[in-house]
């Protein structure tokens, strides 16, 4: 499974500018996600930007007032060479449709077709900046990707924000949160399984919230424990999710917290996507040396917080002194 972030996209475009024609007059983005990628190209090349329908109708998107350059003050009629850009191509259908519209509207203009990601073998000439095989997903499309049908998805921190300490009281405040929490992501694709460490006793409130936001799913898997104190004592959030994922046919788990994503990937032996880090955690890349500096820092911080909660301040400090003593004895 392949994943690319917005940061990956930006780096790819900047490193590939030399592969684009020198005589471009404008960048035309294919809606919707292709417009984001096209905007990055237009900014890097100091070129005006248009969408497909707008270009066909003779419209260029406004360039604003900041640091204007002559190349931005151009009309569609004056453009001779346009770069038609999409974030990715699979079958090539969207690119082919755009080609028909553009060349029918402006038969005397030159068009170059390009996509950031894709595979070889399309029916017409299109430049692919990076060959990325299927299955693949991107930071900007994961929550509306067909892969959701074969995925496990966390709720808190993914579909809605995490409860605050005041809201997380295992009582009236928590019930109010469950019923009224603002949505973060509202996928329009059906989800294979929602897997949450919310307690089973809150199923009805959870189902009500999901229905209110139009989120469709096949299964809702909840933690069957009596109360929040028991859940905190057992600290089974990651293991509960990891074991279900391992036994399921799901191909991806979308988790909020990075530390839990690492644990789920270790238990299941399958890839886990962390919303917190916007990072795909792969089971074969779980050694600490393979993690990014930010991820390592986050992992240490969360581990420290968990140990403090489980051991208490006094026992935690004793553990720290013991570990330091072991390190000194080895040196």
């Amino acid at each position: 499974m392949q994943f690319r972030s917005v940061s990956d996209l930006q780096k790819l475009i900047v490193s590939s500018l030399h592969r684009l024609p020198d005589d471009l007059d404008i960048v035309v983005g294919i809606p919707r996600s292709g417009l984001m990628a096209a905007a990055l190209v237009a900014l890097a090349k100091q070129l005006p930007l248009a969408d497909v329908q707008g270009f066909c109708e003779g419209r260029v998107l406004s360039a604003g007032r900041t640091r204007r350059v002559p190349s931005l003050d151009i009309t569609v009629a004056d453009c001779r060479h346009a770069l038609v850009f999409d974030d990715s191509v699979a079958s090539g259908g969207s690119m082919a449709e755009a080609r028909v519209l553009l060349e029918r509207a402006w038969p005397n203009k030159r068009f170059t077709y390009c996509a950031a990601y894709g595979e070889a073998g399309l029916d017409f000439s299109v430049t692919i900046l990076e060959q990325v095989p299927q299955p693949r997903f991107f930071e900007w499309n994961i929550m509306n990707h067909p892969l959701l049908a074969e995925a496990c998805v966390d709720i808190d921190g993914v579909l809605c924000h995490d409860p605050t300490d005041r809201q997380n009281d295992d009582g009236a405040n928590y019930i109010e949160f469950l019923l009224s929490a603002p949505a973060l992501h509202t996928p329009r694709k059906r989800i294979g399984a929602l897997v949450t460490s919310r307690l089973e006793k809150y199923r009805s409130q959870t189902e009500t919230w999901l229905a209110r936001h139009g989120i469709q799913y096949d299964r809702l898997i909840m933690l069957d424990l009596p109360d929040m104190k028991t859940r905190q004592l057992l600290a089974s959030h990651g293991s509960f999710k990891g074991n279900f994922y391992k036994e399921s046919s799901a191909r991806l788990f979308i988790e909020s917290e990075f530390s839990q994503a690492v644990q789920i990937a270790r238990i299941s032996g399958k890839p886990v996507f962390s919303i917190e880090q916007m990072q795909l955690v792969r089971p074969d890349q779980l050694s600490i040396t393979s993690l990014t500096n930010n991820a390592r820092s986050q992992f240490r911080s969360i581990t420290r917080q968990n140990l403090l909660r489980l051991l208490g301040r006094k026992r935690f400090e004793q553990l720290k002194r013991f570990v330091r003593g072991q390190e000194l004895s080895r040196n």
Side-chain angles (χ1 to χ4, degrees), residues 115-128:
Y117 304 109
E119 298 177 80
L122 296 176
D123 293 336
F124 61 89
S125 178
V126 55
T127 299
I128 305 297

Side-chain angles (χ1 to χ4, degrees), residues 25 29 50 52 65 70 74 76 134 170 200 203 215 318-319:
D25 298 309
V52 172
R65 297 177 178 272
I74 192 171
V76 172
Q134 299 279 12
D170 204 16
E200 180 65 42
R203 176 174 289 272
I215 298 173
Q318 290 174 342
L319 177 63

Side-chain angles (χ1 to χ4, degrees), residues 2 4 116-121 128-133 136:
Q2 300 293 319
R4 296 294 183 272
Y117 304 109
E119 298 177 80
I128 305 297
L129 299 186
E130 183 184 359
Q131 300 283 338
V132 180
R136 61 174 183 249

Side-chain angles (χ1 to χ4, degrees), residues 24-44:
L24 293 171
D25 298 309
I26 193 169
V27 181
V28 180
I30 298 180
R32 286 196 323 162
S33 55
L35 272 173
M36 175 191 67
L40 294 176
V41 177
L43 286 169

Side-chain angles (χ1 to χ4, degrees), residues 32-232:
R32 286 196 323 162
S33 55
L35 272 173
M36 175 191 67
L40 294 176
V41 177
L43 286 169
K45 295 283 286 183
Q46 294 275 18
L47 291 172
L49 176 67
D51 65 281
V52 172
Q53 191 63 41
F55 189 85
C56 290
E57 296 173 2
R59 297 193 309 272
V60 177
L61 295 176
S62 173
R65 297 177 178 272
T66 306
R67 289 194 288 269
R68 290 189 67 87
V69 294
S71 63
L72 298 179
D73 295 319
I74 192 171
T75 66
V76 172
D78 293 330
C79 293
R80 295 165 297 173
H81 188 182
L83 176 71
V84 184
F85 203 87
D86 206 351
D87 60 330
S88 67
V89 289
S91 66
S94 296
M95 191 75 80
E97 290 176 8
R99 182 178 187 178
V100 170
L101 292 172
L102 292 165
E103 295 183 3
R104 180 182 297 161
W106 300 98
N108 295 324
K109 296 188 185 299
R110 181 183 171 198
F111 295 96
T112 294
Y113 299 90
C114 184
Y117 304 109
E119 298 177 80
L122 296 176
D123 293 336
F124 61 89
S125 178
V126 55
T127 299
I128 305 297
L129 299 186
E130 183 184 359
Q131 300 283 338
V132 180
Q134 299 279 12
R136 61 174 183 249
F137 67 94
F138 309 121
E139 178 180 340
W140 54 93
N141 77 353
I142 178 55
M143 295 311 299
N144 281 293
H145 197 287
L147 185 60
L148 288 179
E150 303 176 79
C152 297
V153 179
D154 187 17
I155 295 180
D156 297 321
V158 179
L159 302 184
C160 69
H161 70 79
D162 288 306
T164 63
D165 290 340
R166 186 190 70 82
Q167 292 170 323
N168 198 17
D169 64 353
D170 204 16
N173 289 334
Y174 186 59
I175 290 175
E176 174 62 22
F177 163 79
L178 294 176
L179 293 172
S180 62
L184 292 178
H185 298 98
T186 52
R188 294 305 173 220
K189 302 288 186 182
R190 192 174 188 86
I191 298 170
L194 295 172
V195 185
T196 175
S197 55
R198 290 183 180 187
L199 300 179
E200 180 65 42
K201 66 180 180 177
Y202 296 118
R203 176 174 289 272
S204 64
Q205 293 90 345
T206 299
E207 290 176 338
T208 298
W209 185 92
L210 292 167
R212 179 180 300 141
H213 291 278
I215 298 173
Q216 299 181 327
Y217 55 93
D218 292 331
R219 302 176 66 187
L220 173 59
I221 309 301
M222 307 183 76
L223 192 56
D224 194 8
L225 292 174
D227 51 41
M228 182 179 68
K229 289 184 178 180
T230 305
R231 181 180 63 187
Q232 291 176 338

